[in-house]
PDB file of all heavy atoms in Angstrom:
ATOM      1  N   ALA W1454      14.768 -53.668 -32.623  1.00 52.00           N
ATOM      2  CA  ALA W1454      16.037 -54.390 -32.782  1.00 52.00           C
ATOM      3  C   ALA W1454      15.950 -55.763 -32.143  1.00 52.00           C
ATOM      4  O   ALA W1454      16.482 -56.752 -32.664  1.00 52.00           O
ATOM      5  CB  ALA W1454      17.185 -53.586 -32.167  1.00 52.00           C
ATOM      6  N   ALA W1455      15.246 -55.857 -31.023  1.00 49.00           N
ATOM      7  CA  ALA W1455      15.089 -57.149 -30.355  1.00 49.00           C
ATOM      8  C   ALA W1455      14.278 -58.107 -31.220  1.00 49.00           C
ATOM      9  O   ALA W1455      14.591 -59.298 -31.302  1.00 49.00           O
ATOM     10  CB  ALA W1455      14.421 -56.973 -29.009  1.00 49.00           C
ATOM     11  N   LEU W1456      13.239 -57.592 -31.844  1.00 48.00           N
ATOM     12  CA  LEU W1456      12.436 -58.456 -32.702  1.00 48.00           C
ATOM     13  C   LEU W1456      13.250 -58.947 -33.887  1.00 48.00           C
ATOM     14  O   LEU W1456      13.133 -60.105 -34.285  1.00 48.00           O
ATOM     15  CB  LEU W1456      11.182 -57.700 -33.183  1.00 48.00           C
ATOM     16  CG  LEU W1456      10.157 -57.432 -32.075  1.00 48.00           C
ATOM     17  CD1 LEU W1456       9.026 -56.558 -32.627  1.00 48.00           C
ATOM     18  CD2 LEU W1456       9.621 -58.713 -31.497  1.00 48.00           C
ATOM     19  N   LEU W1457      14.067 -58.082 -34.453  1.00 49.00           N
ATOM     20  CA  LEU W1457      14.929 -58.517 -35.547  1.00 49.00           C
ATOM     21  C   LEU W1457      15.948 -59.527 -35.078  1.00 49.00           C
ATOM     22  O   LEU W1457      16.217 -60.520 -35.752  1.00 49.00           O
ATOM     23  CB  LEU W1457      15.644 -57.311 -36.167  1.00 49.00           C
ATOM     24  CG  LEU W1457      14.781 -56.386 -36.989  1.00 49.00           C
ATOM     25  CD1 LEU W1457      15.600 -55.178 -37.430  1.00 49.00           C
ATOM     26  CD2 LEU W1457      14.203 -57.101 -38.202  1.00 49.00           C
ATOM     27  N   ALA W1458      16.511 -59.316 -33.904  1.00 49.00           N
ATOM     28  CA  ALA W1458      17.496 -60.239 -33.367  1.00 49.00           C
ATOM     29  C   ALA W1458      16.865 -61.580 -33.019  1.00 49.00           C
ATOM     30  O   ALA W1458      17.510 -62.614 -33.054  1.00 49.00           O
ATOM     31  CB  ALA W1458      18.204 -59.648 -32.139  1.00 49.00           C
ATOM     32  N   GLY W1459      15.581 -61.564 -32.676  1.00 49.00           N
ATOM     33  CA  GLY W1459      14.879 -62.782 -32.333  1.00 49.00           C
ATOM     34  C   GLY W1459      14.779 -63.762 -33.486  1.00 49.00           C
ATOM     35  O   GLY W1459      14.531 -64.939 -33.306  1.00 49.00           O
ATOM     36  N   CYS W1460      14.970 -63.275 -34.706  1.00 48.00           N
ATOM     37  CA  CYS W1460      14.877 -64.115 -35.892  1.00 48.00           C
ATOM     38  C   CYS W1460      16.216 -64.718 -36.250  1.00 48.00           C
ATOM     39  O   CYS W1460      16.330 -65.456 -37.232  1.00 48.00           O
ATOM     40  CB  CYS W1460      14.348 -63.307 -37.067  1.00 48.00           C
ATOM     41  SG  CYS W1460      12.687 -62.694 -36.806  1.00 48.00           S
ATOM     42  N   SER W1461      17.254 -64.404 -35.535  1.00 47.00           N
ATOM     43  CA  SER W1461      18.574 -64.917 -35.866  1.00 47.00           C
ATOM     44  C   SER W1461      18.769 -66.309 -35.304  1.00 47.00           C
ATOM     45  O   SER W1461      18.032 -66.770 -34.454  1.00 47.00           O
ATOM     46  CB  SER W1461      19.674 -63.983 -35.323  1.00 47.00           C
ATOM     47  OG  SER W1461      19.645 -64.009 -33.925  1.00 47.00           O
ATOM     48  N   ASP W1462      19.793 -67.015 -35.797  1.00 47.00           N
ATOM     49  CA  ASP W1462      20.062 -68.338 -35.251  1.00 47.00           C
ATOM     50  C   ASP W1462      20.926 -68.201 -34.018  1.00 47.00           C
ATOM     51  O   ASP W1462      21.400 -67.131 -33.685  1.00 47.00           O
ATOM     52  CB  ASP W1462      20.751 -69.217 -36.309  1.00 47.00           C
ATOM     53  CG  ASP W1462      22.067 -68.644 -36.811  1.00 47.00           C
ATOM     54  OD1 ASP W1462      22.535 -67.618 -36.284  1.00 47.00           O
ATOM     55  OD2 ASP W1462      22.623 -69.233 -37.721  1.00 47.00           O
ATOM     56  N   ASP W1463      21.131 -69.310 -33.299  1.00 48.00           N
ATOM     57  CA  ASP W1463      21.847 -69.291 -32.030  1.00 48.00           C
ATOM     58  C   ASP W1463      23.296 -69.745 -32.175  1.00 48.00           C
ATOM     59  O   ASP W1463      23.904 -70.156 -31.195  1.00 48.00           O
ATOM     60  CB  ASP W1463      21.136 -70.163 -31.000  1.00 48.00           C
ATOM     61  CG  ASP W1463      19.828 -69.549 -30.550  1.00 48.00           C
ATOM     62  OD1 ASP W1463      19.659 -68.330 -30.731  1.00 48.00           O
ATOM     63  OD2 ASP W1463      18.985 -70.289 -30.010  1.00 48.00           O
ATOM     64  N   ARG W1464      23.873 -69.675 -33.357  1.00 47.00           N
ATOM     65  CA  ARG W1464      25.261 -70.067 -33.526  1.00 47.00           C
ATOM     66  C   ARG W1464      26.171 -69.047 -32.854  1.00 47.00           C
ATOM     67  O   ARG W1464      25.914 -67.860 -32.925  1.00 47.00           O
ATOM     68  CB  ARG W1464      25.627 -70.159 -35.005  1.00 47.00           C
ATOM     69  CG  ARG W1464      25.016 -71.385 -35.672  1.00 47.00           C
ATOM     70  CD  ARG W1464      25.418 -71.419 -37.102  1.00 47.00           C
ATOM     71  NE  ARG W1464      24.606 -70.374 -37.744  1.00 47.00           N
ATOM     72  CZ  ARG W1464      24.762 -69.977 -38.992  1.00 47.00           C
ATOM     73  NH1 ARG W1464      25.685 -70.491 -39.747  1.00 47.00           N
ATOM     74  NH2 ARG W1464      23.995 -69.049 -39.504  1.00 47.00           N
ATOM     75  N   PRO W1465      27.234 -69.503 -32.197  1.00 44.00           N
ATOM     76  CA  PRO W1465      28.121 -68.556 -31.521  1.00 44.00           C
ATOM     77  C   PRO W1465      28.853 -67.655 -32.512  1.00 44.00           C
ATOM     78  O   PRO W1465      29.253 -68.116 -33.575  1.00 44.00           O
ATOM     79  CB  PRO W1465      29.110 -69.447 -30.758  1.00 44.00           C
ATOM     80  CG  PRO W1465      28.873 -70.833 -31.205  1.00 44.00           C
ATOM     81  CD  PRO W1465      27.615 -70.881 -31.999  1.00 44.00           C
ATOM     82  N   ALA W1466      28.959 -66.389 -32.138  1.00 50.00           N
ATOM     83  CA  ALA W1466      29.730 -65.464 -32.947  1.00 50.00           C
ATOM     84  C   ALA W1466      31.190 -65.573 -32.524  1.00 50.00           C
ATOM     85  O   ALA W1466      31.508 -65.635 -31.355  1.00 50.00           O
ATOM     86  CB  ALA W1466      29.229 -64.034 -32.732  1.00 50.00           C
ATOM     87  N   GLY W1467      32.073 -65.577 -33.477  1.00 50.00           N
ATOM     88  CA  GLY W1467      33.490 -65.668 -33.140  1.00 50.00           C
ATOM     89  C   GLY W1467      33.885 -67.083 -32.804  1.00 50.00           C
ATOM     90  O   GLY W1467      33.305 -68.051 -33.214  1.00 50.00           O
ATOM     91  N   GLY W1468      34.893 -67.221 -31.963  1.00 52.00           N
ATOM     92  CA  GLY W1468      35.429 -68.531 -31.606  1.00 52.00           C
ATOM     93  C   GLY W1468      34.484 -69.295 -30.689  1.00 52.00           C
ATOM     94  O   GLY W1468      33.763 -68.734 -29.907  1.00 52.00           O
ATOM     95  N   ASP W1469      34.517 -70.634 -30.801  1.00 56.00           N
ATOM     96  CA  ASP W1469      33.681 -71.478 -29.963  1.00 56.00           C
ATOM     97  C   ASP W1469      34.427 -71.740 -28.662  1.00 56.00           C
ATOM     98  O   ASP W1469      35.463 -72.391 -28.648  1.00 56.00           O
ATOM     99  CB  ASP W1469      33.377 -72.787 -30.695  1.00 56.00           C
ATOM    100  CG  ASP W1469      32.451 -73.673 -29.911  1.00 56.00           C
ATOM    101  OD1 ASP W1469      31.837 -73.183 -28.945  1.00 56.00           O
ATOM    102  OD2 ASP W1469      32.326 -74.858 -30.272  1.00 56.00           O
ATOM    103  N   THR W1470      33.876 -71.245 -27.546  1.00 60.00           N
ATOM    104  CA  THR W1470      34.525 -71.407 -26.248  1.00 60.00           C
ATOM    105  C   THR W1470      33.979 -72.614 -25.501  1.00 60.00           C
ATOM    106  O   THR W1470      34.459 -72.914 -24.414  1.00 60.00           O
ATOM    107  CB  THR W1470      34.316 -70.159 -25.366  1.00 60.00           C
ATOM    108  OG1 THR W1470      32.914 -70.020 -25.141  1.00 60.00           O
ATOM    109  CG2 THR W1470      34.879 -68.925 -26.023  1.00 60.00           C
ATOM    110  N   GLY W1471      32.999 -73.297 -26.080  1.00 70.00           N
ATOM    111  CA  GLY W1471      32.378 -74.415 -25.387  1.00 70.00           C
ATOM    112  C   GLY W1471      31.254 -73.976 -24.457  1.00 70.00           C
ATOM    113  O   GLY W1471      30.494 -74.787 -23.980  1.00 70.00           O
ATOM    114  N   ILE W1472      31.136 -72.685 -24.208  1.00 78.00           N
ATOM    115  CA  ILE W1472      30.050 -72.146 -23.399  1.00 78.00           C
ATOM    116  C   ILE W1472      29.044 -71.525 -24.358  1.00 78.00           C
ATOM    117  O   ILE W1472      29.416 -70.721 -25.206  1.00 78.00           O
ATOM    118  CB  ILE W1472      30.557 -71.076 -22.410  1.00 78.00           C
ATOM    119  CG1 ILE W1472      31.625 -71.681 -21.491  1.00 78.00           C
ATOM    120  CG2 ILE W1472      29.431 -70.494 -21.588  1.00 78.00           C
ATOM    121  CD1 ILE W1472      32.322 -70.666 -20.604  1.00 78.00           C
ATOM    122  N   PRO W1473      27.778 -71.896 -24.260  1.00 89.00           N
ATOM    123  CA  PRO W1473      26.777 -71.338 -25.180  1.00 89.00           C
ATOM    124  C   PRO W1473      26.764 -69.808 -25.155  1.00 89.00           C
ATOM    125  O   PRO W1473      26.983 -69.181 -24.102  1.00 89.00           O
ATOM    126  CB  PRO W1473      25.454 -71.906 -24.652  1.00 89.00           C
ATOM    127  CG  PRO W1473      25.832 -73.090 -23.828  1.00 89.00           C
ATOM    128  CD  PRO W1473      27.199 -72.823 -23.288  1.00 89.00           C
ATOM    129  N   LEU W1474      26.488 -69.225 -26.317  1.00 90.00           N
ATOM    130  CA  LEU W1474      26.475 -67.770 -26.474  1.00 90.00           C
ATOM    131  C   LEU W1474      25.542 -67.106 -25.462  1.00 90.00           C
ATOM    132  O   LEU W1474      25.902 -66.134 -24.800  1.00 90.00           O
ATOM    133  CB  LEU W1474      26.035 -67.405 -27.889  1.00 90.00           C
ATOM    134  CG  LEU W1474      25.805 -65.924 -28.166  1.00 90.00           C
ATOM    135  CD1 LEU W1474      27.094 -65.139 -27.995  1.00 90.00           C
ATOM    136  CD2 LEU W1474      25.219 -65.714 -29.541  1.00 90.00           C
ATOM    137  N   GLU W1475      24.336 -67.651 -25.315  1.00 91.00           N
ATOM    138  CA  GLU W1475      23.374 -67.020 -24.407  1.00 91.00           C
ATOM    139  C   GLU W1475      23.898 -66.994 -22.982  1.00 91.00           C
ATOM    140  O   GLU W1475      23.785 -65.991 -22.276  1.00 91.00           O
ATOM    141  CB  GLU W1475      22.035 -67.760 -24.445  1.00 91.00           C
ATOM    142  CG  GLU W1475      21.011 -67.099 -23.536  1.00 91.00           C
ATOM    143  CD  GLU W1475      19.623 -67.692 -23.642  1.00 91.00           C
ATOM    144  OE1 GLU W1475      19.392 -68.597 -24.468  1.00 91.00           O
ATOM    145  OE2 GLU W1475      18.754 -67.208 -22.900  1.00 91.00           O
ATOM    146  N   ARG W1476      24.522 -68.056 -22.551  1.00 92.00           N
ATOM    147  CA  ARG W1476      25.057 -68.125 -21.188  1.00 92.00           C
ATOM    148  C   ARG W1476      26.174 -67.090 -20.998  1.00 92.00           C
ATOM    149  O   ARG W1476      26.207 -66.385 -19.969  1.00 92.00           O
ATOM    150  CB  ARG W1476      25.588 -69.521 -20.895  1.00 92.00           C
ATOM    151  CG  ARG W1476      26.085 -69.679 -19.484  1.00 92.00           C
ATOM    152  CD  ARG W1476      26.579 -71.096 -19.264  1.00 92.00           C
ATOM    153  NE  ARG W1476      27.010 -71.299 -17.942  1.00 92.00           N
ATOM    154  CZ  ARG W1476      26.281 -71.850 -16.979  1.00 92.00           C
ATOM    155  NH1 ARG W1476      25.066 -72.254 -17.230  1.00 92.00           N
ATOM    156  NH2 ARG W1476      26.772 -71.985 -15.780  1.00 92.00           N
ATOM    157  N   ARG W1477      27.073 -66.977 -21.970  1.00 92.00           N
ATOM    158  CA  ARG W1477      28.143 -65.968 -21.872  1.00 92.00           C
ATOM    159  C   ARG W1477      27.556 -64.562 -21.808  1.00 92.00           C
ATOM    160  O   ARG W1477      28.005 -63.723 -21.009  1.00 92.00           O
ATOM    161  CB  ARG W1477      29.094 -66.089 -23.066  1.00 92.00           C
ATOM    162  CG  ARG W1477      29.962 -67.312 -23.061  1.00 92.00           C
ATOM    163  CD  ARG W1477      31.074 -67.229 -24.111  1.00 92.00           C
ATOM    164  NE  ARG W1477      30.652 -66.755 -25.393  1.00 92.00           N
ATOM    165  CZ  ARG W1477      30.368 -67.502 -26.462  1.00 92.00           C
ATOM    166  NH1 ARG W1477      30.450 -68.804 -26.378  1.00 92.00           N
ATOM    167  NH2 ARG W1477      30.030 -66.959 -27.608  1.00 92.00           N
ATOM    168  N   MET W1478      26.554 -64.312 -22.638  1.00 94.00           N
ATOM    169  CA  MET W1478      25.953 -62.975 -22.670  1.00 94.00           C
ATOM    170  C   MET W1478      25.225 -62.682 -21.346  1.00 94.00           C
ATOM    171  O   MET W1478      25.286 -61.577 -20.834  1.00 94.00           O
ATOM    172  CB  MET W1478      25.022 -62.832 -23.850  1.00 94.00           C
ATOM    173  CG  MET W1478      25.739 -62.837 -25.181  1.00 94.00           C
ATOM    174  SD  MET W1478      24.638 -62.556 -26.566  1.00 94.00           S
ATOM    175  CE  MET W1478      24.556 -60.758 -26.522  1.00 94.00           C
ATOM    176  N   ARG W1479      24.535 -63.675 -20.814  1.00 94.00           N
ATOM    177  CA  ARG W1479      23.840 -63.486 -19.539  1.00 94.00           C
ATOM    178  C   ARG W1479      24.825 -63.211 -18.406  1.00 94.00           C
ATOM    179  O   ARG W1479      24.612 -62.333 -17.580  1.00 94.00           O
ATOM    180  CB  ARG W1479      22.987 -64.714 -19.199  1.00 94.00           C
ATOM    181  CG  ARG W1479      21.683 -64.806 -19.943  1.00 94.00           C
ATOM    182  CD  ARG W1479      20.910 -66.047 -19.539  1.00 94.00           C
ATOM    183  NE  ARG W1479      19.638 -66.103 -20.194  1.00 94.00           N
ATOM    184  CZ  ARG W1479      18.524 -65.521 -19.741  1.00 94.00           C
ATOM    185  NH1 ARG W1479      18.557 -64.840 -18.621  1.00 94.00           N
ATOM    186  NH2 ARG W1479      17.403 -65.628 -20.408  1.00 94.00           N
ATOM    187  N   GLU W1480      25.912 -63.966 -18.347  1.00 94.00           N
ATOM    188  CA  GLU W1480      26.912 -63.775 -17.295  1.00 94.00           C
ATOM    189  C   GLU W1480      27.533 -62.375 -17.377  1.00 94.00           C
ATOM    190  O   GLU W1480      27.730 -61.728 -16.345  1.00 94.00           O
ATOM    191  CB  GLU W1480      27.971 -64.871 -17.342  1.00 94.00           C
ATOM    192  CG  GLU W1480      27.439 -66.218 -16.883  1.00 94.00           C
ATOM    193  CD  GLU W1480      28.408 -67.371 -17.078  1.00 94.00           C
ATOM    194  OE1 GLU W1480      29.466 -67.185 -17.720  1.00 94.00           O
ATOM    195  OE2 GLU W1480      28.109 -68.470 -16.567  1.00 94.00           O
ATOM    196  N   ALA W1481      27.801 -61.914 -18.590  1.00 94.00           N
ATOM    197  CA  ALA W1481      28.342 -60.566 -18.757  1.00 94.00           C
ATOM    198  C   ALA W1481      27.320 -59.516 -18.306  1.00 94.00           C
ATOM    199  O   ALA W1481      27.667 -58.535 -17.648  1.00 94.00           O
ATOM    200  CB  ALA W1481      28.747 -60.331 -20.208  1.00 94.00           C
ATOM    201  N   ALA W1482      26.048 -59.734 -18.665  1.00 95.00           N
ATOM    202  CA  ALA W1482      25.003 -58.787 -18.275  1.00 95.00           C
ATOM    203  C   ALA W1482      24.835 -58.738 -16.765  1.00 95.00           C
ATOM    204  O   ALA W1482      24.627 -57.671 -16.175  1.00 95.00           O
ATOM    205  CB  ALA W1482      23.688 -59.165 -18.951  1.00 95.00           C
TER     206      ALA W1482
END
Side-chain angles (χ1 to χ4, degrees):
L1456 291 175
L1457 288 175
C1460 297
S1461 66
D1462 60 5
D1463 289 341
R1464 287 180 285 172
D1469 183 14
T1470 63
I1472 301 172
L1474 173 64
E1475 181 173 358
R1476 183 179 182 99
R1477 289 192 317 261
M1478 292 184 83
R1479 282 180 178 274
E1480 288 174 351

